[in-house]
Structure formats: C-alpha cells, structure tokens
Amino acid sequence: MVMHAKTGVSMLLLTVVLQSYSQIIYVGGIMNESQTWTSDFTYVVTQDLVVPNNVKLIIEAGVVVKINYNRGIIIENGILRISGTQTDSVYFIPNHSNPGQNWKWRGLIIKNADAEEEIFLRYTKFVEAETAIKIEDSYDVSIENASILNCQNLGVHFVNSSACFIVNSNIENNYDGVEIIAGYLESSSYNVIYNCIIKNQNHNIYIFGEDGGLTHNNLIGGNLIGSGNNGIWIINKSELINSGNIIEHNLILNNGEGAGYGLFLAHDSTIITNNIFWRNNIAIF
C-alpha cells in the first residue's frame, strides 16, 4: 500500500460535485488483513481488490472510492460492511482522468457470503459500472438506501443467491435493473425487492430459473417500476414446481414502448395483488 498526499482533488459526478482535500491511498490485490476505510482518504483501486476469507473491509460514511479502467472489487468469502448515512453517502465511481471519458469500471462482486457474518451496503452510490453489484452463491446480503445509476449491463445481479434484500433504493438509467437467476440445481429464492424506484432501459426486474433451478418465494413489493421495455419479466424453464413469488403493491407504469409489457409471466403459482398498472403497452401477459 502506497500513500501519496494530494490536495485540491475535485470530480464531477452527474450534477453533484464532490470536493476532496484528502490524501489518496492506492489499493489493489489480495487484502491480507482487515481494513477500515475512512473519509480522511480517497481510495483508488488500481488493480482488482480481493477480500478473502476471514478478512473484513469496513467502509465508513463519506468515503469516495475511485476505480481504474477494467478493475473492480471482489469479496470472495470475505466480509464487507458499508455504513454510509443519509447525509453522507459512500461513493463508488470510475477514476476518469478527464470529463470526456465514458468507460465503466467492472463493479462489486460478492461471492459465497453466508449468514454467519453480516454483509450490508447502506447509503451507497454506484455510478457508471459494467454491472454495479453481482451477488453470487450467497445468502443474506442486504442493500439499503442505495443509488445505482448509469451502468452498462445491470444494476444488481443475483446468481444462485437467496434471502437477500434490496430496500429503499434507486436503480435507474442502467440497461437492466435487477436480475435474479437460478442455475441448474441451484436456488435464488426468498429475495426481497421493496420500496425502490426502478427505471431502466430494458428489463426493470428479470427472474429466470434454468432447467433444474428454483426461483420461488421472492417478494417484489411497494416499488415504482417504470420506463423500461418490460417492467417485470419472470420465466421458469425448470420442470420443478416453482411457486410462491409475490408481486404486490407496486406502481408499474410506462413500460413497453409499443412492444413490451408491464408484467410478463411464465411461471407457476405467482401471487399478483394490489398493484397499479398504468400506461404500459400491455399491462399483464
């Protein structure tokens, strides 16, 4: 780890200017001991940062993390806790050297998380990633009060992961919003997407069970889901019985653009109740 002093650092993030007079710490590679990142520093990821088993990364309110081209952060059996606040978020942004650059950083990947060590992301802003957050083979990861904006592929991607939460978050202007996938003999179940604003280009929410996969008892509730090619798209390719998904109390509007749907459903025994469908090309198919 190398530390350099630098003053007068400024960057333009959407319409918000973040001004930092802190020192810069360059990070990357495999972390061999637990760390706490504080707002006294700006952290620049110069190569993939890997947090392995029994290592903890704690990020406090007000931290700005800048990530170089084609780099990302990988929590592989490790522990991540991000504790932004309503007035002092944590930012993950690409390390653009000039305003004309538009490349995306790789994103945050969480692998093999379990309920023994709590992993959470609170009041965190992810901007201009390829896929902002990928949660793979994990259990009980929570994303709360996040903003996930302008990503090339996906805002949040659950792969073979269950009992995870996205709550009170804005997922906007990405290609796809939230994708929940269960592979062969795997499960992505009991996940919750609640009280979020989800407005993206293609699928706002996409749930897919491959042959032999389980996607059941997921809850999509209390969200505003709009302005995509499709609001919610759920498909079960498995011969297993997938049931119990609940879609309730959502406002689903302005999806379709002449070809798509508010809700496209090819899945067993889904409960759809107390939603408002408004100005979609086709409300429910």
Side-chain angles (χ1 to χ4, degrees):
M1 181 181 297
V2 180
M3 185 182 299
H4 296 278
K6 186 173 181 179
T7 59
V9 177
S10 64
M11 66 191 103
L12 181 64
L13 173 60
L14 301 179
T15 57
V16 180
V17 176
L18 300 178
Q19 191 73 30
S20 173
Y21 296 97
S22 59
Q23 293 178 312
I24 291 178
I25 294 181
Y26 295 96
V27 296
I30 299 174
M31 283 178 49
N32 54 23
E33 60 182 13
S34 297
Q35 296 181 16
T36 298
W37 293 1
T38 71
S39 59
D40 297 326
F41 304 96
T42 295
Y43 297 83
V44 176
V45 179
T46 59
Q47 56 180 306
D48 286 345
L49 178 68
V50 180
V51 181
N53 189 35
N54 295 322
V55 175
K56 186 182 298 183
L57 175 58
I58 297 173
I59 304 178
E60 296 183 349
V63 168
V64 176
V65 183
K66 301 167 68 176
I67 304 95
N68 283 0
Y69 174 72
N70 201 32
R71 303 300 186 224
I73 299 173
I74 303 166
I75 312 299
E76 191 159 10
N77 299 96
I79 301 159
L80 175 67
R81 293 176 184 163
I82 302 177
S83 300
T85 67
Q86 186 173 6
T87 57
D88 207 4
S89 295
V90 173
Y91 285 83
F92 289 83
I93 62 176
N95 188 26
H96 292 159
S97 58
N98 64 68
Q101 291 183 321
N102 60 5
W103 53 261
K104 314 296 184 186
W105 60 288
R106 281 181 56 200
L108 169 67
I109 301 172
I110 299 171
K111 296 181 179 181
N112 304 315
D114 57 45
E116 292 185 9
E117 291 283 358
E118 185 179 13
I119 290 183
F120 58 78
L121 293 70
R122 295 173 182 158
Y123 289 100
T124 309
K125 298 184 184 297
F126 293 85
V127 180
E128 296 183 344
E130 293 176 8
T131 291
I133 305 168
K134 183 177 182 181
I135 299 172
E136 186 174 352
D137 299 316
S138 293
Y139 186 87
D140 194 24
V141 177
S142 63
I143 302 167
E144 306 169 34
N145 300 99
S147 293
I148 301 170
L149 310 171
N150 301 336
C151 294
Q152 179 178 324
N153 300 320
L154 279 157
V156 182
H157 193 193
F158 293 120
V159 180
N160 306 330
S161 296
S162 296
C164 297
F165 295 82
I166 308 174
V167 181
N168 301 329
S169 295
N170 288 9
I171 304 171
E172 301 186 62
N173 299 320
N174 311 291
Y175 182 69
D176 285 331
V178 181
E179 188 171 289
I180 299 174
I181 303 293
Y184 177 67
L185 298 182
E186 299 287 352
S187 178
S188 285
S189 302
Y190 299 96
N191 298 295
V192 174
I193 305 170
Y194 186 78
N195 198 34
C196 297
I197 297 173
I198 306 174
K199 299 171 69 176
N200 301 277
Q201 181 181 342
N202 188 37
H203 299 310
N204 277 309
I205 298 174
Y206 177 66
I207 300 177
F208 179 73
E210 296 180 4
D211 187 22
L214 285 174
T215 53
H216 65 113
N217 293 97
N218 296 289
L219 170 64
I220 302 170
N223 305 286
L224 188 157
I225 302 168
S227 304
N229 289 331
N230 298 289
I232 304 172
W233 185 287
I234 306 180
I235 296 180
N236 175 29
K237 292 291 186 181
S238 175
E239 294 183 0
L240 299 174
I241 296 176
N242 275 309
S243 62
N245 291 308
I246 300 173
I247 301 170
E248 65 180 13
H249 300 288
N250 300 285
L251 174 57
I252 302 171
L253 75 166
N254 295 327
N255 298 285
E257 289 294 323
Y261 310 93
L263 169 62
F264 180 93
L265 185 62
H267 198 291
D268 307 324
S269 304
T270 300
I271 300 167
I272 306 165
T273 179
N274 294 310
N275 301 279
I276 296 174
F277 293 84
W278 184 254
R279 294 191 175 183
N280 302 282
N281 176 57
I282 295 175
I284 305 173
F285 185 86

